[in-house]
């Protein structure tokens, strides 16, 4: 098999990015012919956009300028509805990590119990299959009603939605540990607790970390929807607030930032997964 050059993939990524930006620029170019439009529509999107002299959708140059303006002062605080993107991302990350770590504290020990006991697996599997597909938007009203605190409600929703991949992957990884290794531990009269930590955990670690990697993506996905409902602070609230302000450029900026932070979180978990992986 021919060995690929290491610079080929980054070059292809750059080419795809440039083609995307070029297509975006061409699609948002202003049209020459102006038309008469409804005044209410003109007030909504702006006079130039309404007549076709300017696209209602921001071009790459506008978005780039807006990103630069946010990067110059990401931590400003001018009141409830006017905070820098650095502050908004900070609130969102705090909620995500809070719910995610709580989910890990519950999912990993429970996953061990499920993976090591077929009886517990059969008893809990119906509940897992029922609760797993429920949307975070369905949990939020119940959380707000019972907890009566928007930030804690958002953390709860992240917890309940990100627990399932960790739980299922942990149970699968534990149940898939080679019987030979467990038999050796029994032959050496190793206690069940030591067997769990010295045999099962190292063997199941790559599968557990894969579940944690999936869960961090779900947690970051959920926080945007949760913050749109609870309001106050966070990148999700920022998107909703900018929609109310009809600032499509700010919304596009936030979308790109959400994707970038999600990529960084996934990359960090991927590196941790490689650290605990092994080759036989």
């Amino acid at each position: 098999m021919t060995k690929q050059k290491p610079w080929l993939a980054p070059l292809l990524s750059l080419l795809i990015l440039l083609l995307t930006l070029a297509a975006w620029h061409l699609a948002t170019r202003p049209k020459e012919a102006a038309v008469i439009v409804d005044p209410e529509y003109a007030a909504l999107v702006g006079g130039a956009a309404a007549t076709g002299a300017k696209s209602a959708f921001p071009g790459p140059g506008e978005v780039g300028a807006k990103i630069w303006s946010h990067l110059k002062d990401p931590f400003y605080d001018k009141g409830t509805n006017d905070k820098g993107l650095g502050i908004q991302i900070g609130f969102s990350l705090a909620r995500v990590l809070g719910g995610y770590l709580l989910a890990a504290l519950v999912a990993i020990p429970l996953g061990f119990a499920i993976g090591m006991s077929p009886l517990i697996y059969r008893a809990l599997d119906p509940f897992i299959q029922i609760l797993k597909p429920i949307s975070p938007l369905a949990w939020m009203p119940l959380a707000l009603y019972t907890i009566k605190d928007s930030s804690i409600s958002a953390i709860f929703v992240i917890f309940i939605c990100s627990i399932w991949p960790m739980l299922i992957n942990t149970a699968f990884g534990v149940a898939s540990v080679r019987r030979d290794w467990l038999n050796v531990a029994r032959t050496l009269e190793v206690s069940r607790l030591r067997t769990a930590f010295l045999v099962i955990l190292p063997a199941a670690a790559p599968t557990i970390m894969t579940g944690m990697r999936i869960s961090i993506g779900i947690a970051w996905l959920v926080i945007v929807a949760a913050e749109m409902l609870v309001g106050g602070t966070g990148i999700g609230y920022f998107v909703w607030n900018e929609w109310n302000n009809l600032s499509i450029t700010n919304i596009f900026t936030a979308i790109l930032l959400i994707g970038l932070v999600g990529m960084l979180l996934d990359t960090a978990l991927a590196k941790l997964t490689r650290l605990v992986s092994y080759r036989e």
Side-chain angles (χ1 to χ4, degrees):
M1 184 169 23
T2 306
K3 187 177 180 181
Q4 290 188 347
K5 301 175 178 61
W7 49 265
L8 193 57
L11 183 63
L12 183 58
S13 295
L14 179 60
L15 179 61
I16 293 172
L17 175 62
L18 293 176
L19 290 174
T20 302
L21 291 175
W24 181 7
H25 174 72
L26 292 174
T28 55
R29 280 194 312 170
K31 300 175 183 177
E32 294 181 0
V35 295
I36 299 175
V37 296
D38 182 74
E40 293 184 1
Y41 178 70
L44 180 67
V45 300
T51 59
K54 178 181 179 297
S55 173
F57 197 81
E62 293 176 79
V63 174
K66 182 62 69 173
I67 291 174
W68 176 245
S69 70
H70 283 295
L71 289 177
K72 287 193 296 184
D73 189 11
F75 299 105
Y76 73 86
D77 189 348
K78 298 180 181 178
T80 303
N81 294 326
D82 193 8
K83 300 180 187 294
L85 279 178
I87 294 177
Q88 305 286 19
I89 287 291
F91 276 104
S92 295
L93 283 174
R95 292 175 183 135
V96 165
L97 294 177
Y100 178 78
L101 291 176
L102 285 174
L105 289 175
V106 173
I108 294 175
L110 186 57
F112 258 82
I114 293 172
M116 296 177 69
S117 171
L119 175 63
I120 296 177
Y121 169 77
R122 288 194 298 270
L124 295 182
D125 185 62
F127 300 99
I128 295 172
Q129 298 307 321
I130 291 172
L131 295 174
K132 182 179 64 172
I134 297 176
S135 166
L137 298 179
W139 287 110
M140 183 54 72
L142 183 62
L144 287 171
Y145 179 76
T146 54
I147 299 173
K148 296 179 175 61
D149 184 279
S150 59
S151 291
I152 298 176
S153 297
I155 292 172
F156 168 77
V157 172
I158 292 165
F159 162 81
I160 201 67
C161 292
S162 61
I163 192 174
W164 310 118
M166 280 190 276
L167 180 63
I168 293 169
N169 274 50
T170 300
F172 176 77
V174 170
S176 300
V177 174
R178 285 188 174 183
R179 298 294 104 186
D180 295 344
W181 299 347
L182 298 177
N183 291 335
V184 169
R186 290 194 193 98
T187 302
L188 297 175
E189 298 183 352
V190 179
S191 66
R192 288 179 65 86
L193 184 62
R194 292 192 66 190
T195 300
F197 279 100
L198 299 179
V199 179
I200 298 175
L201 181 58
T207 308
I208 296 172
M209 288 302 303
T210 300
M212 295 182 72
R213 183 180 175 185
I214 296 171
S215 287
I216 195 65
I218 292 175
W220 187 242
L221 185 71
V222 166
I223 190 61
V224 176
E227 287 174 344
M228 282 184 175
L229 292 179
V230 302
T233 53
I235 192 64
Y237 174 71
F238 176 84
V239 171
W240 186 249
N241 189 53
E242 293 306 314
W243 164 246
N244 291 328
N245 295 332
L246 297 177
S247 178
I248 305 301
T249 307
N250 267 331
I251 292 173
F252 210 99
T253 301
I255 288 172
L256 292 175
L257 185 60
I258 290 167
L260 178 62
V261 173
M263 182 188 72
L264 293 176
L265 291 173
D266 182 77
T267 301
L269 266 295
K271 289 184 180 296
L272 290 176
T273 302
R274 285 194 290 270
L275 288 177
V276 299
S277 298
Y278 60 91
R279 292 184 179 181
E280 298 182 14

